[in-house]
Amino acid sequence: MDRNQAIGFGLIAVLLLAYSFFFSSPEEPARQAVQETAKVEQLQTPVAPAADDSLAQANRAAALGAFGAAATGQASTTTLENANIRVTFNTKGGQVEEVLLKNYKTYQDEPLILFDSESSNTDVTFNTNDGKVVKLSDLYFTASEVRDVAAEDKSGKTITFRASLGNGQHIDQVYTLYNDNFLLGYKLDFEGLDQQVSGNNLVFTWDDRLKQLERDLKQNRAKSTINFATVEDGYDYLSISEEKETMTLEEPVKWVANKQNFFTAGIIAGSQFSGARLTSTVDPSDTTVVKTLSSEVLIPAQEVVSGNGGEFVYYFGPNDYKILKNIGNDFDKNLDLGWGIFSYVNKWIIIPAFDFLENYIGNYGIIIILLVLYIKTILFPLTYKSYLSMAKMKVLKPEIDAIKERNDNDMQKTQMETMKLYQEMGVNPLSGCIPMLLQIPILFAMFNFFPNSIELRQEAFLWADDLSTYDVFMRLPFTIPFYGDHVSMFTLLMTASTILYTWSNNQINSQMQGPMKFYSYLMPVIFMFVLNSFPAGLSFYYFVSNIVTFGQQAGIRYFVDETKIRTKLEENKDKRKEKKSKGGPSFTERMQEAMRQAQEREQQKRNKAKK
């Protein structure tokens, strides 16, 4: 209770006693006086701290030395919010207490609270010259009024939390939230305390017990870790493991982030952090916590006590490339789009096309179908060239079979004569493989795009409730090793279409014989087990892709005349013979002849050794 409150309650008590003395009946003066005094005591009770709390605050004030002036007070909350997030602060510590993402829900259709005081907390610790260890959570701050703020083309709200220490000394924590944003500006300023704070760094701690936000806990854990970026080397991350992972960074750090499947909470330095210690732990038996992520980040003390204040930015939001790419400093790497060329395929081809379709179509299953058609149209020249190469080898199958029969069990001689035949006919066997290799970057880029695309999160299509995780067409009463306890219908459709596509290819691919042919059918079955717990959107994409490719090949087969191909190959053979008679054998032919002669000499040696 402050001085003004005490005076106010004292005046109320005097007035009540005067009223009871002058206006009450003579029979009841004592009883009414007791009643009115009780009323005053009831009014005072909620304001006055409990005896044990007062004692605790007094002890805490004594332990904090010069900072003890801010160790007493009452905790209250206040908020900043925009269209995307609502941030709640507590005056005890002046720290973020809760962050609600307004436009998202958990897998249980509950409000998505990315940060709360029950599972997460941040704090700043520093040492004083008199040997005390002070935490901001030990201090009580006074919140200013929320004020409007504008910067360049942005507008928003700002609030200041101040812990007054007397003699013009205070600690300010200033938070700024701009409209239509997921970034929370944070400024920490120690005014007049440069002689009170010792050491080179303050320690910012962040303990985050991640709550399960997605249905698939296993995938949730596999996608959750601490990402960071150093000033010199850029982005890196803690390895994903069920074991305890710890990393100490002794170089300047730009940002640290607690990354989950589709959401990230992180802090970015305006300048740089001095270093950090990062820890990730998981208890597989505890299904209430996905992972526990802990960070100790060193803030240069000079930035905070210089009078200008240290400036930082919190990010509480989705792993959306359109948002993350504008933050800079590799912060967009919190969205895993793959490494190397796969990342660029997603950034330059897949995401722009997906975003364009998303502007006009609301059904994401239809978007995936149109995305397949878009990619298959781009790759059609490669598909045509690959089919044409296989068709050329198909028309040469009688000659190839004759070579195999003539050189029974002599694989080396068979291969040499087959290559000679290809050369005579002007056929390049690699021309069918190269187009397929060029499609691999897109194939593997999808493995990163669909599991991490927040646009697909909680979007239903046909029997799938959520395209960002596996569809459950049927739940099994048991668990099959490497498969799971559910049946994904999209994965089954993908497997069936892959087998159909493989069969179609084997009809024209003369090289696919024996064990290779068996393995070509085995691979789709293996992928059925691997992809059963992958996102339904990925399996559906591959299913549609196989059907479209099968249709393209059927169309190409209809228009490609194998008789004309045979005639063209015979013409190539005649031209090569004519060229050879005029200019002699080519370099390749001379190499093949040298290999043939070497083989014959080797065979003669073997025959002599047998005799």
Side-chain angles (χ1 to χ4, degrees):
M1 184 190 307
D2 59 24
R3 182 170 175 271
N4 291 334
Q5 287 177 321
I7 294 173
F9 282 120
L11 291 174
I12 291 173
V14 170
L15 290 174
L16 289 173
L17 288 173
Y19 178 87
S20 64
F21 179 79
F22 289 104
F23 299 101
S24 62
S25 60
E27 296 82 12
E28 301 180 337
R31 183 172 60 85
Q32 288 205 6
V34 171
Q35 289 177 341
E36 300 302 338
T37 303
K39 290 180 181 179
V40 175
E41 292 174 348
Q42 289 173 356
L43 288 172
Q44 291 177 331
T45 300
V47 179
D52 55 347
D53 187 49
S54 298
L55 181 60
Q57 289 190 5
N59 292 335
R60 188 161 55 246
L64 296 178
F67 292 85
T72 58
Q74 289 186 337
S76 62
T77 60
T78 188
T79 62
L80 289 179
E81 61 182 304
N82 59 21
N84 296 318
I85 65 175
R86 186 186 71 208
V87 185
T88 302
F89 308 92
N90 196 316
T91 56
K92 188 177 187 301
Q95 298 282 294
V96 175
E97 184 171 83
E98 181 182 281
V99 178
L100 169 71
L101 302 188
K102 293 183 175 183
N103 302 317
Y104 299 93
K105 300 286 187 180
T106 69
Y107 74 103
Q108 295 175 322
D109 200 33
E110 296 176 348
L112 199 154
I113 298 175
L114 189 59
F115 183 106
D116 63 28
S117 57
E118 293 181 1
S119 60
S120 308
N121 69 277
T122 61
D123 209 346
V124 176
T125 305
F126 57 93
N127 296 320
T128 66
N129 284 330
D130 57 355
K132 308 293 185 182
V133 177
V134 180
K135 296 181 179 180
L136 293 187
S137 59
D138 293 330
L139 310 180
Y140 286 87
F141 290 74
T142 301
S144 70
E145 293 183 356
V146 176
R147 303 186 304 275
D148 293 327
V149 64
E152 299 176 355
D153 58 344
K154 300 180 296 183
S155 61
K157 304 288 185 181
T158 185
I159 188 172
T160 300
F161 292 86
R162 172 168 293 186
S164 298
L165 306 175
N167 300 321
Q169 298 174 328
H170 57 260
I171 298 175
D172 280 350
Q173 296 183 87
V174 184
Y175 296 93
T176 304
L177 181 65
Y178 289 103
N179 297 331
D180 302 320
N181 213 322
F182 292 93
L183 296 172
L184 176 68
Y186 175 49
K187 182 177 181 180
L188 179 60
D189 186 11
F190 284 27
E191 182 65 33
L193 296 173
D194 53 322
Q195 300 300 318
Q196 301 289 339
V197 178
S198 67
N200 296 324
N201 299 296
L202 288 71
V203 181
F204 172 84
T205 57
W206 190 340
D207 295 316
D208 201 354
R209 295 173 296 282
L210 302 180
K211 296 183 293 185
Q212 185 178 352
L213 304 178
E214 317 303 330
R215 183 183 67 189
D216 189 352
L217 177 61
K218 182 179 179 181
Q219 184 189 43
N220 214 167
R221 282 177 171 163
K223 297 290 185 179
S224 299
T225 188
I226 300 180
N227 292 341
F228 62 90
T230 61
V231 173
E232 183 175 349
D233 299 325
Y235 166 78
D236 207 342
Y237 59 94
L238 283 186
S239 62
I240 297 172
S241 170
E242 291 192 352
E243 302 296 329
K244 182 177 181 179
E245 295 289 333
T246 300
M247 182 179 293
T248 300
L249 306 174
E250 297 180 352
E251 57 185 306
V253 177
K254 187 62 181 179
W255 56 262
V256 174
N258 298 336
K259 180 256 181 186
Q260 301 185 54
N261 275 62
F262 301 109
F263 302 96
T264 291
I267 185 169
I268 308 165
S271 176
Q272 63 185 33
F273 300 113
S274 300
R277 180 178 174 83
L278 314 174
T279 304
S280 171
T281 58
V282 59
D283 182 359
S285 62
D286 186 359
T287 58
T288 63
V289 177
V290 175
K291 272 187 179 179
T292 300
L293 307 178
S294 300
S295 302
E296 296 178 2
V297 184
L298 304 181
I299 301 174
Q302 186 57 35
E303 289 187 8
V304 177
V305 303
S306 63
N308 298 320
E311 295 190 357
F312 316 91
V313 176
Y314 283 107
Y315 177 80
F316 298 103
N319 296 333
D320 188 325
Y321 182 69
K322 298 185 294 294
I323 298 171
L324 299 180
K325 70 178 181 179
N326 296 319
I327 297 177
N329 298 301
D330 286 340
F331 202 78
D332 62 301
K333 295 291 183 66
N334 285 297
L335 174 60
D336 183 11
L337 294 176
W339 56 272
I341 189 173
F342 309 128
S343 173
Y344 293 115
V345 168
N346 277 321
K347 291 178 182 178
W348 295 346
I349 299 177
I350 307 303
I351 292 178
F354 197 90
D355 290 344
F356 174 79
L357 294 172
E358 193 179 23
N359 291 331
Y360 300 98
I361 301 172
N363 187 302
Y364 284 86
I366 303 299
I367 289 177
I368 291 175
I369 294 173
L370 295 177
L371 185 65
V372 172
L373 295 176
Y374 160 70
I375 294 173
K376 285 299 180 181
T377 301
I378 295 176
L379 298 177
F380 180 75
L382 299 178
T383 304
Y384 177 80
K385 188 172 181 62
S386 177
Y387 179 89
L388 201 60
S389 176
M390 289 188 293
K392 288 178 180 179
M393 288 187 285
K394 181 182 178 182
V395 299
L396 294 178
K397 190 174 185 301
E399 288 90 336
I400 295 173
D401 290 342
I403 291 173
K404 290 179 180 179
E405 185 176 354
R406 186 167 60 248
N407 302 301
D408 188 29
N409 297 326
D410 193 338
M411 295 298 296
Q412 185 176 3
K413 193 171 184 179
T414 299
Q415 185 178 11
M416 288 182 60
E417 291 189 17
T418 302
M419 293 302 295
K420 184 179 180 180
L421 174 67
Y422 287 154
Q423 185 184 25
E424 289 175 349
M425 294 294 186
V427 175
N428 183 0
L430 295 179
S431 62
C433 300
I434 293 175
M436 299 303 296
L437 290 175
L438 294 176
Q439 298 183 48
I440 287 179
I442 293 180
L443 180 72
F444 281 97
M446 294 302 175
F447 272 92
N448 291 98
F449 175 75
F450 282 102
N452 299 297
S453 176
I454 194 170
E455 290 84 358
L456 297 178
R457 183 178 184 267
Q458 298 178 351
E459 292 293 339
F461 181 66
L462 298 178
W463 55 82
D465 297 327
D466 187 346
L467 287 171
S468 71
T469 187
Y470 57 82
D471 62 295
V472 182
F473 186 78
M474 182 174 67
R475 183 70 68 178
L476 301 175
F478 49 84
T479 299
I480 301 175
F482 307 107
Y483 185 76
D485 61 352
H486 66 277
V487 175
S488 170
M489 179 56 68
F490 280 134
T491 303
L492 290 181
L493 291 174
M494 180 206 67
T495 303
S497 64
T498 304
I499 292 175
L500 176 65
Y501 172 64
T502 303
W503 172 83
S504 176
N505 271 351
N506 288 345
Q507 302 307 303
I508 59 174
N509 192 346
S510 60
Q511 292 182 325
M512 193 65 67
Q513 300 293 331
M516 292 180 63
K517 195 170 186 178
F518 169 76
Y519 288 126
S520 69
Y521 289 108
L522 180 62
M523 287 305 296
V525 178
I526 294 175
F527 274 101
M528 180 185 71
F529 281 81
V530 173
L531 298 180
N532 189 59
S533 295
F534 271 62
L538 178 66
S539 299
F540 180 62
Y541 172 87
Y542 286 140
F543 164 66
V544 177
S545 180
N546 287 337
I547 296 300
V548 172
T549 303
F550 181 77
Q552 285 181 334
Q553 289 193 348
I556 294 171
R557 187 178 302 162
Y558 179 80
F559 289 102
V560 171
D561 189 340
E562 293 183 358
T563 304
K564 290 182 178 180
I565 292 176
R566 179 74 194 195
T567 303
K568 180 67 175 176
L569 294 181
E570 293 292 346
E571 291 176 358
N572 291 340
K573 184 178 181 180
D574 294 338
K575 289 179 181 179
R576 287 180 180 274
K577 283 183 178 180
E578 182 180 352
K579 184 177 179 181
K580 180 178 179 181
S581 63
K582 291 181 179 180
S586 65
F587 174 77
T588 304
E589 290 171 337
R590 291 196 299 270
M591 288 294 294
Q592 288 180 341
E593 180 63 21
M595 292 174 62
R596 185 186 65 79
Q597 293 176 1
Q599 184 183 9
E600 289 179 353
R601 289 193 296 270
E602 184 68 24
Q603 188 64 39
Q604 291 175 359
K605 290 180 181 179
R606 291 177 182 174
N607 293 336
K608 289 181 179 179
K610 290 180 179 179
K611 292 179 180 179

